């Protein structure tokens, strides 16, 4: 009976390990503005994301500046200015500010049911570009309106299921990882042969890590396949990878912990048998 109970608990550990990681990620990584901004910050240097920002901002601005016969030259100048600005430290600062503001909308979409897209407001970027152009004495630069230009990087036809799942993960939060650890300890404690239980538990944890890695990869494909045609897939993939970097790192760490624990228990048994 004790062996059977231990086996059942080890199976639960293997299943709950990835769920616990996702619950912690949803509550403490996506739910925190500082961590969200930090995760998105490296995308300021991603070529695909930069191209989306430059294209969308350029389209929005060119349609609001009436330069008469000089319109073509102004549009070209704006495009060059935006591309040049995209490689500066000021752009990265503006990008972080935009993402911090976007977190509120993103979090609102996942919790209140309002909205079905992840968007980034480029107003901080446009404001900085305008200041630079005006300082350089560029004609018509003072006419650039600092408007709210929302760039959609992810969009879903039906976000209802994702909202419900996110809410459940928030509720689980830190408690699901704690429960996983408790079940692992219990599985070892009730086992008749504890060293074998440690090996099995370690391998179970490793299996859970592999399941987590597979889930992240599968959901990535499903997310990108579900995007509307007008959403840049390369930029959306970069956003997905940035937001799930914590889960991929966690999968490798948990895999290492599980394998090391199993190997240590196995080696201990071998050494004890050695005369």
């Amino acid at each position: 009976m004790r062996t059977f109970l231990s086996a059942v608990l080890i199976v639960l550990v293997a299943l709950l390990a990835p769920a616990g990681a996702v619950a912690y990620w949803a509550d403490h990584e996506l739910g925190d503005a500082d961590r969200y901004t930090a995760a998105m910050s490296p995308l300021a240097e991603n070529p695909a994301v930069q191209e989306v920002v430059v294209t969308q901002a350029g389209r929005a601005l060119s349609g609001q500046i009436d330069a008469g016969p000089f319109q073509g030259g102004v549009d070209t100048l704006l495009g060059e200015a935006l591309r040049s600005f995209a490689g500066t430290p000021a752009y990265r600062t503006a990008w972080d500010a935009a993402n911090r503001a976007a977190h509120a909308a993103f979090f609102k979409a996942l919790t209140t049911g309002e909205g079905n897209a992840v968007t980034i407001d480029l107003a901080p970027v446009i404001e900085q570009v305008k200041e630079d152009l005006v300082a350089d004495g560029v004609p018509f630069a003072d006419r650039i309106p600092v408007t709210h230009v929302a760039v959609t990087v992810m969009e879903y036809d039906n976000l209802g299921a994702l909202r419900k799942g996110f809410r459940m993960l928030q509720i689980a939060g830190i408690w699901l990882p704690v429960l996983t650890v408790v079940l692992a300890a219990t599985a070892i404690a009730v086992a008749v042969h504890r060293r074998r239980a440690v090996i099995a538990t370690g391998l179970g944890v490793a299996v859970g890590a592999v399941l987590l890695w597979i889930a992240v990869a599968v959901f990535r494909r499903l997310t990108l396949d579900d995007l509307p045609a007008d959403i840049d897939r390369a930029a959306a993939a970069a956003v997905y990878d940035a937001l799930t970097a914590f889960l991929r790192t966690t999968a490798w760490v948990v895999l290492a912990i599980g394998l090391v624990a199993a190997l240590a228990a196995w080696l201990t048994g071998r050494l004890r048998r050695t005369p």
Side-chain angles (χ1 to χ4, degrees), residues 9 50 82 126 154 163 166 171 181-182 186 199 211 220 270:
L9 292 176
Q50 284 186 359
L82 285 167
I126 295 174
M154 281 193 180
R163 291 187 184 110
F166 184 78
I171 294 174
V181 174
V182 170
T186 304
I199 295 175
L211 291 176
R220 182 184 193 273
R270 296 286 294 182

Side-chain angles (χ1 to χ4, degrees), residues 42-229:
L43 293 180
E45 299 178 1
N46 183 278
V49 175
Q50 284 186 359
E51 185 62 28
V52 171
V53 171
V54 169
T55 301
Q56 295 294 335
R59 288 175 182 173
L61 292 178
S62 64
Q64 299 185 53
I65 301 176
D66 184 10
F70 305 103
Q71 188 67 49
V74 170
D75 290 347
T76 300
L77 187 61
L78 279 175
E80 293 176 352
L82 285 167
R83 292 182 189 282
S84 177
F85 178 65
T88 65
Y91 168 76
R92 289 190 286 273
T93 300
W95 172 259
D96 288 344
N99 275 288
R100 184 170 292 277
H103 178 264
F106 172 66
F107 199 69
K108 183 178 181 180
L110 286 175
T111 55
T112 68
E114 298 181 16
N116 64 342
V118 178
T119 62
I120 297 175
D121 186 0
L122 298 182
V125 175
I126 295 174
E127 182 178 9
Q128 187 62 51
V129 170
K130 177 180 179 179
E131 291 179 2
D132 291 348
L133 292 177
V134 171
D136 292 339
V138 175
F140 303 104
D142 58 333
R143 298 186 185 183
I144 297 176
V146 181
T147 57
H148 295 282
V149 180
V151 173
T152 301
V153 292
M154 281 193 180
E155 186 174 350
Y156 304 87
D157 293 332
N158 181 13
L159 203 58
L162 183 58
R163 291 187 184 110
K164 292 179 181 178
F166 184 78
R167 180 55 183 163
M168 291 178 62
L169 291 173
Q170 276 192 303
I171 294 174
I174 190 65
W175 298 110
L176 196 54
V178 170
L179 175 62
T180 303
V181 174
V182 170
L183 290 180
T186 304
I188 296 171
V190 301
V192 176
H193 303 287
R194 291 186 178 178
R195 184 181 60 81
R196 295 178 182 176
V198 171
I199 295 175
T201 302
L203 294 177
V205 169
V207 169
V210 173
L211 291 176
L212 175 60
W213 187 88
I214 292 174
V216 172
V218 169
F219 194 70
R220 182 184 193 273
R221 181 173 181 177
L222 294 176
T223 299
L224 296 181
D225 288 345
D226 193 43
L227 292 174

